[in-house]
């Protein structure tokens, strides 16, 4: 799915959120505003004396595609009639591991799965990821892929673009399948490295979208022109992380003859 994965990340010279919602595509998915909470503090990636990935040999880039429907609020979940099953939100998960190699990083194994949410897909979401209800009929439910997902992620840090989306979608699904309490953090903010936050530190004032970041870092995102995809976006997020982590952010301006 998406562009072929290469084994070695170029050391020489991106969430996104872009989840579809009732109002179209947004950088911060409105699904996540349904549960009142204090936003986690934004990290100052430039001034930090030690980056979160220092001393780490393995990271996992992750991206999730969804139904495009809003997550129910925690209050609404608790008020729901006993026995009412909440609708699923995740329809596709893509993960890509990256290993430290000398002073750089290399991409290795990937893991991906579509997920049957037992819920309708919003038409705007289908326009973004191109996944139709018929494509999900034979897909496993989230409880069937949860163990494989956790095994692939291990205890390593996760790299995501606009990470709050992936964090909240995962927390919702793990609660929905009974493996965590509603409102519990199966995945906390400290588990994530956010390439959107990194991009704001590296390119102040620039758009925080994954598309804009890829263009600024000279990453080929042509496979994303037609549709987004979880593994495709995780791959681009991994590339963007590596380039920014290594300080390989130029050239920014091209001159065409």
């Amino acid at each position: 799915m998406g562009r072929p994965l290469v084994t070695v990340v170029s050391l020489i010279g991106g969430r996104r959120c872009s989840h579809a919602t009732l109002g179209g595509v947004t950088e911060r998915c409105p699904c996540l505003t349904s549960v009142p909470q204090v936003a986690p503090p934004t990290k100052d990636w430039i001034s930090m004396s030690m980056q979160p990935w220092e001393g780490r040999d393995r990271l996992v880039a992750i991206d999730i595609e969804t139904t495009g429907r809003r997550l129910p609020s925690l209050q609404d979940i608790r008020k729901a009639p006993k026995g009412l099953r909440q609708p699923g939100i995740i329809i596709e998960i893509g993960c890509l591991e990256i290993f430290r190699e000398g002073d750089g990083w290399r991409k290795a194994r990937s893991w991906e799965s579509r997920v049957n949410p037992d819920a309708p897909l919003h038409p705007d979401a289908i326009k973004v990821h191109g996944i139709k209800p018929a494509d999900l009929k034979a897909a496993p439910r989230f409880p069937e892929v949860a163990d494989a997902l956790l095994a692939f992620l291990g205890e390593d840090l996760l790299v995501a673009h606009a990470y709050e989306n992936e964090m909240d979608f995962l927390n919702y699904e793990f609660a929905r399948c009974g493996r965590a309490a509603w409102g519990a953090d199966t995945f906390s903010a400290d588990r994530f490295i956010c390439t959107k936050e990194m991009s704001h530190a590296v390119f102040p004032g620039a758009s925080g979208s994954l598309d804009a970041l890829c263009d600024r870092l000279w990453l080929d995102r042509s496979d994303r022109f037609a549709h987004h995809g979880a593994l495709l976006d995780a791959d681009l997020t991994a590339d963007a992380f590596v380039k920014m982590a290594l300080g390989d952010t130029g050239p920014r301006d091209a001159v065409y003859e």
Side-chain angles (χ1 to χ4, degrees):
M1 175 181 172
R3 59 178 183 162
L5 301 181
V6 295
T7 301
V8 181
V9 176
S10 172
L11 304 184
I12 305 176
R15 316 100 82 199
R16 168 194 85 89
C17 164
S18 293
H19 292 286
T21 69
L22 295 176
V25 178
T26 64
E27 186 61 29
R28 176 75 166 106
C29 183
C31 301
L32 309 179
T33 62
S34 57
V35 180
Q37 55 183 316
V38 177
T42 299
K43 301 180 180 70
D44 186 344
W45 298 97
I46 294 180
S47 65
M48 290 176 67
S49 59
M50 182 175 180
Q51 302 291 2
W53 55 86
E54 293 297 328
R56 299 270 183 165
D57 293 324
R58 181 183 185 264
L59 305 172
V60 179
I62 184 171
D63 186 85
I64 291 172
E65 300 297 334
T66 75
T67 64
R69 303 287 177 175
R70 290 182 180 273
L71 289 175
S73 69
L74 187 58
Q75 182 180 14
D76 288 341
I77 291 172
R78 289 173 173 166
K79 287 182 177 179
K82 187 176 182 180
L84 176 67
R85 184 168 177 77
Q86 297 295 334
I89 190 75
I90 293 176
I91 64 168
E92 187 176 60
I93 309 171
C95 304
L96 177 64
E97 64 181 3
I98 50 179
F99 283 98
R100 187 176 294 279
E101 187 172 75
D103 293 331
W105 297 85
R106 65 177 177 85
K107 295 185 286 188
R109 297 178 305 147
S110 64
W111 182 91
E112 65 178 325
S113 180
R114 286 190 173 173
V115 179
N116 186 336
D118 290 316
L121 275 62
H122 193 278
D124 287 344
I126 297 174
K127 293 177 183 178
V128 173
H129 49 57
I131 301 172
K132 299 178 175 62
D135 300 325
L136 302 173
K137 283 185 177 180
R141 272 70 175 177
F142 187 81
E144 300 174 72
V145 303
D147 286 335
L149 172 63
L150 291 174
F152 188 86
L153 298 181
E155 299 297 324
D156 297 300
L157 293 180
L158 308 179
V159 183
H161 198 78
Y163 79 96
E164 301 99 327
N165 298 304
E166 276 65 32
M167 178 179 69
D168 286 357
F169 293 141
L170 288 170
N171 287 338
Y172 174 83
E173 290 286 7
F174 274 97
R176 177 175 171 266
C177 70
R179 298 186 61 158
W182 288 111
D185 287 338
T186 303
F187 293 84
S188 66
D190 290 341
R191 181 80 186 270
F192 288 86
I193 297 169
C194 182
T195 50
K196 182 181 177 182
E197 290 182 358
M198 291 178 70
S199 74
H200 288 325
V202 176
F203 304 115
S207 168
S209 73
L210 183 58
D211 283 338
L213 179 59
C214 288
D215 291 345
R216 193 162 281 271
L217 293 173
W218 289 67
L219 293 172
D220 179 11
R221 62 177 177 90
S222 57
D223 287 341
R224 205 170 184 252
F225 290 169
H227 294 112
H228 297 183
L231 185 56
L232 169 63
D233 289 0
D235 189 16
L236 288 171
T237 298
D239 286 343
F241 162 76
V242 170
K243 295 200 77 173
M244 289 189 290
L246 296 176
D248 177 22
T249 58
R252 301 185 189 182
D253 301 306
V255 177
Y256 298 97
E257 297 290 339

